[in-house]
Amino acid sequence: MSKIKTLGLALISLAMISLISCKGNKGDESSDNSDTTEFPSYDQVVGDEAPTFETEPVQEPIMIEDQQGNLTPETTVTITENDVFFVIAGSFTVYKNAQKLNNDLKALGFDSQILVPYGQYNRVSLKSFKTREEAKAAISSLKSQTKNDALWILKR
């Protein structure tokens, strides 16, 4: 047992000596012994002028769902009086996930509902509207109330 202890102490001593000699070499190269790395500032990398980005106004997507659950962007579609526009908060293939979001929205005071699926997706609607204009007008307010920027409009 004592031979194993002696061998372990010798290995530890060698490791400590090699670490000390490495630190000594590093200290010779620079007078600063701190281990902090300095990264260039934003001004040094980019220059004095901050970048500017041009953004276009965001158009709220209006999607149309067919009987198989496929979505296509609205282009020139005839709107009938029976059409309903839903503000969708989430779309799930797993029904339990749709239930969880629906329950969370109801706890926040929304009259949300899980729509009857056309395809494999269970869509959670925040609110329904009779016209596209009403849905578009309400979506920005709903985004701020739910803190969900991924809301979109579905026409059925």
Side-chain angles (χ1 to χ4, degrees):
M1 205 58 147
S2 64
K3 288 183 182 181
I4 294 175
K5 286 183 183 178
T6 307
L7 181 61
L9 287 174
L11 288 175
I12 292 173
S13 298
L14 284 174
M16 291 180 71
I17 291 171
S18 64
L19 285 174
I20 292 170
S21 65
C22 287
K23 283 190 177 183
N25 291 340
K26 184 179 179 183
D28 295 341
E29 293 173 7
S30 87
S31 60
D32 184 13
N33 288 335
S34 68
D35 289 337
T36 61
T37 304
E38 289 189 35
F39 294 101
S41 71
Y42 177 82
D43 292 338
Q44 292 170 329
V45 174
V46 177
D48 293 335
E49 189 174 314
T52 58
F53 301 99
E54 292 183 22
T55 58
E56 295 179 16
V58 177
Q59 294 287 330
E60 298 305 334
I62 298 180
M63 306 298 282
I64 299 170
E65 184 176 35
D66 63 15
Q67 291 294 328
Q68 288 76 36
N70 301 319
L71 294 175
T72 55
E74 178 192 49
T75 51
T76 55
V77 176
T78 307
I79 298 173
T80 67
E81 62 184 46
N82 295 331
D83 288 338
V84 179
F85 294 86
F86 297 95
V87 175
I88 303 297
S91 182
F92 305 93
T93 55
V94 178
Y95 187 76
K96 284 185 179 183
N97 294 338
Q99 282 180 318
K100 181 181 180 337
L101 177 60
N102 190 39
N103 291 340
D104 291 346
L105 291 171
K106 285 186 182 288
L108 291 173
F110 290 99
D111 188 24
S112 63
Q113 62 178 329
I114 301 173
L115 300 179
V116 175
Y118 275 11
Q120 63 180 343
Y121 295 100
N122 300 288
R123 295 191 170 96
V124 180
S125 169
L126 261 174
K127 201 169 184 180
S128 63
F129 300 91
K130 291 185 179 185
T131 67
R132 174 177 61 175
E133 290 75 24
E134 290 176 331
K136 278 186 163 186
I139 199 164
S140 63
S141 171
L142 291 171
K143 281 183 178 183
S144 65
Q145 290 174 16
T146 60
K147 297 181 176 93
N148 181 354
D149 287 333
L151 300 180
W152 52 280
I153 299 170
L154 172 68
K155 178 183 98 60
R156 274 199 180 166

